[in-house]
Amino acid sequence: GAVVSQHPSRVICKSGTSVKIECRSLDFQATTMFWYRQFPKQSLMLMATSNEGSKATYEQGVEKDKFLINHASLTLSTLTVTSAHPEDSSFYICSASDGAPKETQYFGPGTRLLVL
Amino acid sequence: GQNIDQPTEMTATEGAIVQINCTYQTSGFNGLFWYQQHAGEAPTFLSYNVLDGLEEKGRFSSFLSRSKGYSYLLLKELQMKDSASYLCAVGGRGDYKLSFGAGTTVTVRA
């Protein structure tokens, strides 16, 4: 149980284009999903918390107009990197929480984004 | 704020035992998590502690002392496949967020 999928696993795009990443909880309903980015040999950096049916909460320093998050249902959240630039190249990972009492986060397999 | 410390690297021999320590100072506490992350992959859940004491799960055990702000992950009978980064993460109170340590890279040698 507690499987989270993420699509695509890898994407290469040109600078200035937008990229959409999907995150799905396959066998449980996740009222809360999280989006992280990770640079090589560094830990996870939380970008935003996504709640179904409401606006995402962004961490300090994360541009909400650049990283659009939509939590359309209890099993799907999307992250759109708008007007991507080479500095946006990173490993993007989503997670879904199974709620109370443990609030364990289960991670998707990640999306490696390379902006040329 | 959140401050979570764990060693950067550890090396051990196949079949041995390794203990990864984690200390934390957080504004709220709703449990401590350990995750394993292989290079280029997403983290996988290993353990969760919210009460003091030891939780054992096969070759892996995790310990928590809330009064000391301290946890450790114990890996027994090390195998080559255990070479990975191990992330200590603390859950906040009521907001489901996790604050992650920088991770400990464990290298298992034959």
Side-chain angles (χ1 to χ4, degrees), chain A residues 32 34 36 38 43-44 46 49 59 91 93 97 99 101-105 107-109 112, chain B residues 30 33 35 37 40-45 48 87 92 94-98 100-103:
Chain A
T32 307
F34 302 85
Y36 297 84
Q38 185 177 35
S43 192
L44 299 167
L46 179 65
T49 303
E59 295 300 298
F91 191 44
I93 311 174
S97 174
K102 289 188 175 182
E103 302 174 13
T104 302
Q105 288 186 29
F107 287 84
R112 196 162 298 283
Chain B
N30 193 31
F33 299 80
Y35 286 85
Q37 185 178 25
E41 299 179 13
T44 55
F45 170 73
Y48 168 79
L87 306 174
D95 62 3
Y96 300 97
K97 290 184 184 179
L98 289 180
F100 283 87

Side-chain angles (χ1 to χ4, degrees), chain B residues 54-104:
Chain B
L54 187 68
E55 294 277 343
E56 296 187 80
K57 200 185 283 186
R59 293 188 299 113
F60 294 0
S61 302
S62 57
F63 171 84
L64 175 67
S65 169
R66 289 171 297 172
S67 62
K68 295 181 179 179
Y70 168 70
S71 173
Y72 68 71
L73 179 69
L74 194 69
L75 315 179
K76 293 180 277 190
E77 299 170 20
L78 280 172
Q79 301 175 9
M80 300 299 287
K81 67 178 182 180
D82 297 330
S83 293
S85 180
Y86 292 85
L87 306 174
C88 173
V90 176
R93 186 169 290 158
D95 62 3
Y96 300 97
K97 290 184 184 179
L98 289 180
S99 296
F100 283 87
T104 299

Side-chain angles (χ1 to χ4, degrees), chain A residues 11-28:
Chain A
V11 59
I12 301 173
C13 69
K14 292 182 179 179
S15 186
T17 60
S18 294
V19 175
K20 180 187 281 189
I21 303 170
E22 290 188 352
C23 178
R24 294 179 185 271
S25 57
L26 298 184
D27 52 0
F28 67 101

Side-chain angles (χ1 to χ4, degrees), chain B residues 3 10 18 34 36 43 45 49 61 71 78 83-84 91 98 101 106 110:
Chain B
N3 188 25
M10 301 183 76
V18 70
W34 284 96
Q36 180 192 60
F45 170 73
N49 294 70
S61 302
S71 173
L78 280 172
S83 293
L98 289 180
V106 172

Side-chain angles (χ1 to χ4, degrees), chain A residues 70-88:
Chain A
N70 182 22
H71 196 145
S73 73
L74 287 173
T75 59
L76 173 64
S77 177
T78 60
L79 168 69
T80 302
V81 183
T82 62
S83 186
H85 291 285
E87 57 265 31
D88 298 325

